[in-house]
Each structure stands twice: as C-alpha cells, then as structure tokens.
C-alpha cells in the first residue's frame, strides 16, 4: 500500500488536506537564467529544490513574456519530472543539441531574449517563482526586475549567502 503525506490547512472554517509534495513545490526557485551563449539560442533556466525531499513537477509549466507582454509556453514538464532534494532541474533550448551540451533535464525550441520575463507555474497556474530582466510591458513579476539585459555567456543568478540561495521575492 502506498502512503501519501498530507498537510492539513485550515482556511476560515474549511479544513483542507493538501498533498505534502504540493507544499514543497511552492518553495522551488529559479536560480539561474542565460539568454545567449556562443549562439543567440544557447538559452537555459535552472530551477533549484531547497527542500530535503524530492519534488514531483510533472505538469508544471515554464512560461515567458516578451518585451511587448505577449505570453508563450517554454515547456510543460512531462510526466515523471522530478527535482531531487537539494537538486537542480534544467530547461534548455534544443537547437544544435545545446540541451545535450549542458545536460538539461527538459528542452524545447523556445528561446529567451532581451527584455523578457519567465515564470514557473504549478498545476493550478499559480506562479511559484518568476524573473524579469530589462524593460517590458506586463512582465511576470515576483519582486523587482533585474534592470539590465545579460550579454552573451552571462547569467542572471540568484544571490547566495553562506551557500544558501536567498528568496527575497
């Protein structure tokens, strides 16, 4: 028999039982983004699981918004997508087998560019984490945008203090 860990949440007079894995996934962090490498489509997004337990992210979504605010899919995570405890999960652009070069977990032909924003969304479409760089209309926002666009082979990286990624929103 398989056991499912549940977290009990009380909202007003309602008692909810949420899968424990859902609670863990709310703490995932986008920790690194590259919008160009040696080629303009050497793009990747690195997600970190700060928890002490593996998190199933099957069905989660990476989405982007362009400088004009138009939204599109980067990738829907396939069934069986999991981020190990204290581990990373990487999406990369698939052109010229770039995803193989960086050992990405998932890939697609989507690209990132200047003045974009990206978001990680859970199964309900709620933003778990987001990052905005440059200037754009209607970006995904969770905290302040990074004001500049990174250049080729430069990454936007989440701040670390004493080896711990900071979640300052």
């Amino acid at each position: 028999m398989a056991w499912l860990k549940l977290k009990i949440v009380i909202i007003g007079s309602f008692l909810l039982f949420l899968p424990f894995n859902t609670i863990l996934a709310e703490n995932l962090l986008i920790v690194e983004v590259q919008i160009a490498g040696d080629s303009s489509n050497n793009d990747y997004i690195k997600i970190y699981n700060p928890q002490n337990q593996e998190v199933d992210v099957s069905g989660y979504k990476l989405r982007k918004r362009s400088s004009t605010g138009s939204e599109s899919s980067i990738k829907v995570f396939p069934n069986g997508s999991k981020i190990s405890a204290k581990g990373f999960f990487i999406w990369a652009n698939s052109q010229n087998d770039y995803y193989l070069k960086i050992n990405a977990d998932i890939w697609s032909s989507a690209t990132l560019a200047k003045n974009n924003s990206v978001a990680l969304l859970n199964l309900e479409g709620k933003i778990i984490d987001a990052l905005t760089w440059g200037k754009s209309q209607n970006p995904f926002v969770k905290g302040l945008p990074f004001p500049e666009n990174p250049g080729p082979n430069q990454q936007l990286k989440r701040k670390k203090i004493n080896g711990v990624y900071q979640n300052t929103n």
Side-chain angles (χ1 to χ4, degrees):
M1 174 185 290
W3 292 92
L4 177 64
K5 290 183 182 179
L6 297 174
K7 174 157 179 117
I8 300 171
V9 178
I10 300 173
I11 299 176
S13 60
F14 295 100
L15 182 63
L16 301 173
F17 295 91
L18 300 174
F20 192 65
N21 201 39
T22 301
I23 305 304
L24 292 176
E26 298 301 312
N27 295 315
L28 298 174
L29 300 170
I30 296 172
V31 295
E32 193 170 315
V33 172
Q34 178 174 289
I35 68 170
D38 294 335
S39 170
S40 64
N41 54 18
N42 288 163
D43 307 336
Y44 70 84
I45 299 169
K46 186 184 283 189
I47 301 165
Y48 177 65
N49 173 13
Q51 305 302 312
N52 291 322
Q53 294 182 2
E54 179 180 77
V55 176
D56 186 340
V57 290
S58 302
Y60 282 51
K61 299 173 181 116
L62 277 174
R63 302 219 24 110
K64 74 172 184 175
R65 287 191 182 151
S66 70
S67 61
T68 63
S70 65
E71 186 174 322
S72 60
S73 175
I74 295 172
K75 182 72 176 179
V76 176
F77 298 1
N79 285 337
S81 296
K82 296 180 181 180
I83 308 176
S84 62
K86 306 286 185 194
F88 297 97
F89 193 81
I90 301 172
W91 165 85
N93 179 276
S94 59
Q95 191 167 355
N96 299 319
D97 293 334
Y98 180 66
Y99 69 99
L100 292 172
K101 295 173 186 167
I102 66 166
N103 198 28
D105 299 284
I106 56 173
W107 53 91
S108 67
S109 60
T111 58
L112 303 176
K114 293 179 178 181
N115 305 313
N116 275 192
S117 63
V118 295
L120 173 65
L121 289 82
N122 67 14
L123 294 172
E124 292 79 35
K126 177 185 172 199
I127 295 175
I128 294 173
D129 202 12
L131 175 64
T132 303
W133 58 91
K135 296 179 183 189
S136 59
Q137 297 175 20
N138 192 31
F140 287 114
V141 177
K142 192 163 185 180
L144 298 173
F146 189 78
E148 299 174 26
N149 289 295
N153 293 306
Q154 292 182 330
Q155 299 84 30
L156 295 174
K157 294 183 179 185
R158 185 175 291 271
K159 187 176 187 178
K160 280 174 99 172
I161 297 177
N162 298 323
V164 177
Y165 288 107
Q166 301 302 297
N167 186 5
T168 59
N169 287 327

